[in-house]
Amino acid sequence: MRGIGVLYPEIEPYEHGMLDVGDGNHVYWETCGNPRGKPVLVLHGGPGSGCTEGMRRYFDPDAYRIVLFDQRGCGRSTPHASDPVTDLSVNTTWYLISDIELLRRHLGIDGWQLFGGSWGATLALVYAERYPGQVSEIVLAGVTTTRRSEIDWLYHGAGRFFPEEWERFRSGVPEDQRDGDLVEAYHHLLHHPDPRERARAAEEWCAWELSVMGTDPDVEPDPVWTDPEFRMAFARIVTHYFRHGAWLAEDSVLREAAALRGIPGVLVHGRLDVSGPPVTAWEVARVWPDAELQFVPGAGHSSRERGMAERLVAATDRFARG
């Protein structure tokens, strides 16, 4: 039975563990719902956000075997990126793709549905293009492909819509760097020898992220954003990924979309998404004929906004019957 509101009731994992993925990294994973249900893998955003309890609630627990994991360096995975000595050179898109496959085999799953939002949408698309035979369906929210043009928009162009917050964000780096590459500038500050400078940079970075997240005033930010360790890990990981263009060739996700043929998908995107403008979702839908694109009027980037959540749950309910 559906709980109060749009999402399914809160549930707890029936199994969890730490998977040794090599390179000194262990990723936290958990499974919820029906052990004999349809497998679905939840890919969190960021990169570096970690999975949350609320992510379990987009799926009928009687129909789905819900798999969540914290990507390298964040959430409950170790070593944690909030520690300045944590080596991020072994934390890349392609390491994460390898981790997903290792987790699939560890859990004895032949194939699964993919569910991801924001960065998780990029990761889902890259994984599905690499391993299409392991993917039954895909449900995405806040569609991104993490092109450098998208990164440039998020940390430069979007400032036109939030001029006060943008001025604060720019002011967080040395004056002579404010008109240059802000991702690179913050990356250097997050590796400053003074821990107070690192903490200040992480706080300013996360303040900007929150300012462009959503449009629904009734959706409160997750309390995790007030945690200094979360902010540090998130800021370190996301700047690490974005300064490298997520190790993806520009437009590669769109160019390789032919691999998605035959995989049904639903793309749910806020019409007023400033963080990830709707054009990206539209471009993905154009090269993926089996995907259904749904724009949500008045919604922004957050999948927690009511209009977004309703459509995401409707999509997972539909695929549960398939």
Side-chain angles (χ1 to χ4, degrees), residues 192-240:
H192 196 282
D194 186 342
R196 293 170 297 181
E197 287 296 313
R198 296 198 299 269
R200 184 189 62 79
E203 182 176 0
E204 294 300 329
W205 182 274
C206 291
W208 172 250
E209 294 277 356
L210 283 173
S211 70
V212 298
M213 187 70 69
T215 62
D216 190 340
D218 294 328
V219 177
E220 293 290 333
D222 193 303
V224 73
W225 289 91
T226 64
D227 178 1
E229 288 192 358
F230 169 85
R231 291 198 301 253
M232 182 60 67
F234 176 87
R236 285 193 73 213
I237 292 172
V238 75
T239 55
H240 169 64

Side-chain angles (χ1 to χ4, degrees), residues 138 260 263-267 281 284-294:
I138 304 174
L260 304 174
I263 302 175
V266 174
L267 313 178
V284 170
R286 287 186 69 194
V287 296
W288 180 12
D290 299 284
E292 172 188 322
L293 174 58
Q294 301 179 12

Side-chain angles (χ1 to χ4, degrees), residues 24-36:
N25 280 268
H26 293 77
V27 299
Y28 170 84
W29 62 269
E30 64 180 40
T31 49
C32 313
N34 182 352
R36 294 172 296 280

Side-chain angles (χ1 to χ4, degrees), residues 46 51 53 65 68 85 87-88 100-101 109 114 121 129 159-161 169 171 189 210 212 253 279 284 301 310:
C51 58
E53 296 175 357
R65 180 185 180 187
L68 301 94
V85 304
D87 179 15
L88 295 184
I100 293 170
E101 266 299 274
I109 293 173
L114 303 180
E129 290 174 351
R160 299 176 186 178
F161 291 88
F169 182 56
S171 298
L189 287 173
L210 283 173
V212 298
V253 174
V279 64
V284 170
H301 193 65
E310 287 175 341

